[in-house]
Amino acid sequence: MIQCENLVKIYKTGEIEVVALQGLDLTVEDGELMAIIGNSGSGKSTLLNMLGGLDVPSAGQLEVDGKNLLAFDKKQMMEYRRSTVGFVWQNPARNLIPYLTAQKNVELPLLISGKKPAEMPPLPAADGSLIPAKTVSERAAALLDLVELSHRRKSRLTELSGGEQQRVAIAIALANNPRLLLADEPTGAVDSKTTEELLRLFQRLNEQLGLTIVIVTHDRLVSSFVSRAVMIRDGRTSSEFIRRPISLEGLDTLDDGGDAPDVPRHEVEERTVVDRTGRVQLPREYLDALGVTGRETMYTRLEDGKIILTPVPKEPDNPPEPAPAQSQEQAPEQNAE
């Protein structure tokens, strides 16, 4: 679905240049639920804007759904944003019009696009059945049911909680049946309980719709809810977190045959990313343990299928001064004494 190669983005403000991305590589499979994690200023939001067609790279290659975004003109880019990709922002108000009801908010992108709901695939209901829609109103109602908010169809923005507003925003992002859903810090303005509920919703949408979902966040806990998380540091991918199922064989179960409560079903495995040029970013805690504070050299060797890095021993800051050499004339006197 997504193929990024050596992406570079440089922002210029007067005579100042800021490098947001510096040779980033990323591949996202069709139908994958993944997260891009990084601290503020790491380049993750810049990458999201490029994937959504809101910004263009300074150099590199970028393809989404088999389309070369760098070759698009303005008209093609607008059509891409309207039909291929859907957006969910951190602030739900960016998606919602406050004086419209939840139903009318979801209807709006359908009316603007001019697409016929009858030509769109039916949506799954909460009970697993499919809901066909012939009108814009029916399609909007089915989308609100999909995000479990059909009971708030007539509510306006001020009458909805933060989590409910975000659910309406997700329904709006899905209105035109996109192939890719981009979520920029979608849980940044809600509490921990609502965060988990929203992440469970993304999981369900990924499974039921086969939708490719990319979540940008600074919260590493999101990696427990996605199949893969990519860490970005200093404008490049540095590591990946892979979620793997844990075998529960041999664990005690409840009397009714259910699994033991509070038992984790997955474990998260961290892997370091090595790009095609051999560049690698070591975790900060590893560098701190080795006392690496700046640019330093290391010994590198290949041993038994492993690449081993060894710090070069540092010279002492104040080496001891060598003892003054003794003359041959003084030696006999000292020996005699």
Side-chain angles (χ1 to χ4, degrees):
M1 176 58 70
I2 298 173
Q3 183 69 44
C4 305
E5 291 187 12
N6 201 28
L7 277 188
V8 176
K9 181 61 180 179
I10 301 175
Y11 292 102
K12 293 184 179 180
T13 304
E15 297 181 355
I16 300 176
E17 291 188 352
V18 177
V19 182
L21 297 179
Q22 41 184 328
L24 181 141
D25 294 331
L26 177 68
T27 299
V28 180
E29 298 297 331
D30 186 14
E32 187 175 5
L33 171 61
M34 63 91 64
I36 297 174
I37 302 175
N39 296 327
S40 178
S42 61
K44 60 185 187 302
S45 293
T46 297
L47 174 61
L48 192 79
N49 288 337
M50 291 182 182
L51 296 178
L54 302 176
D55 203 350
V56 293
S58 304
Q61 299 180 13
L62 175 58
E63 291 187 3
V64 178
D65 196 23
K67 304 177 181 71
N68 180 7
L69 268 60
L70 276 68
F72 279 2
D73 57 25
K74 290 184 178 180
K75 184 177 180 180
Q76 290 172 319
M77 188 63 78
M78 181 177 293
E79 178 59 27
Y80 166 79
R81 291 196 294 262
R82 292 171 65 177
S83 60
T84 301
V85 63
F87 294 92
V88 180
W89 307 103
Q90 177 178 357
N91 183 4
R94 189 171 179 178
N95 291 79
L96 306 178
I97 297 177
Y99 56 82
L100 295 181
T101 64
Q103 171 84 15
K104 294 299 182 182
N105 266 286
V106 181
E107 289 179 5
L108 191 58
L110 290 166
L111 293 170
I112 293 175
S113 69
K115 293 183 178 180
K116 297 180 179 180
E119 298 176 355
M120 296 183 182
L123 295 168
D127 59 4
S129 61
L130 296 179
I131 305 177
K134 296 182 180 180
T135 66
V136 168
S137 178
E138 290 177 350
R139 180 76 179 181
L143 285 164
L144 288 173
D145 183 73
L146 180 64
V147 298
E148 300 177 344
L149 210 62
S150 57
H151 62 290
R152 303 290 269 164
R153 290 173 53 189
K154 298 182 180 181
S155 300
R156 288 180 170 81
L157 179 63
T158 55
E159 300 170 328
L160 300 174
S161 67
E164 290 173 336
Q165 292 179 20
Q166 200 62 288
R167 286 176 183 270
V168 177
I170 294 171
I172 293 172
L174 298 175
N176 289 330
N177 193 36
R179 297 263 297 138
L180 171 66
L181 183 64
L182 302 175
D184 188 7
E185 298 280 6
T187 62
V190 296
D191 56 35
S192 58
K193 180 181 178 181
T194 306
T195 292
E196 183 172 345
E197 292 174 351
L198 289 173
L199 292 174
R200 297 291 184 195
L201 174 59
F202 282 122
Q203 285 181 328
R204 184 164 56 81
L205 294 175
N206 171 253
E207 295 170 358
Q208 292 182 336
L209 304 179
L211 183 66
T212 305
I213 302 177
V214 177
I215 302 173
V216 165
T217 180
H218 67 278
D219 188 358
R220 293 195 182 193
L221 293 178
V222 174
S223 61
S224 300
F225 293 87
V226 297
S227 57
R228 181 169 65 106
V230 175
M231 172 72 74
I232 291 184
R233 185 187 298 121
D234 298 330
R236 293 207 306 266
T237 51
S238 61
S239 58
E240 290 190 4
F241 299 85
I242 309 297
R243 189 167 65 107
R244 294 185 173 279
I246 298 176
S247 174
L248 301 180
E249 183 179 357
L251 293 177
D252 294 334
T253 57
L254 300 175
D255 295 336
D256 61 0
D259 291 332
D262 301 326
V263 176
R265 301 299 191 274
H266 297 85
E267 62 180 351
V268 179
E269 176 183 271
E270 183 177 1
R271 301 176 181 177
T272 299
V273 174
V274 182
D275 67 17
R276 64 184 61 192
T277 64
R279 294 180 302 184
V280 61
Q281 288 189 333
L282 300 179
R284 182 71 256 175
E285 53 267 27
Y286 290 8
L287 298 178
D288 291 341
L290 295 175
V292 177
T293 57
R295 184 182 182 279
E296 300 186 22
T297 58
M298 289 191 177
Y299 296 118
T300 307
R301 71 178 188 274
L302 184 65
E303 182 178 302
D304 297 331
K306 301 177 182 178
I307 299 175
I308 300 176
L309 301 177
T310 306
V312 177
K314 296 181 180 180
E315 296 293 337
D317 295 335
N318 297 308
E321 296 182 0
Q326 297 178 348
S327 64
Q328 293 182 354
E329 295 179 356
Q330 292 174 333
E333 297 178 2
Q334 292 173 351
N335 290 339
E337 292 176 358

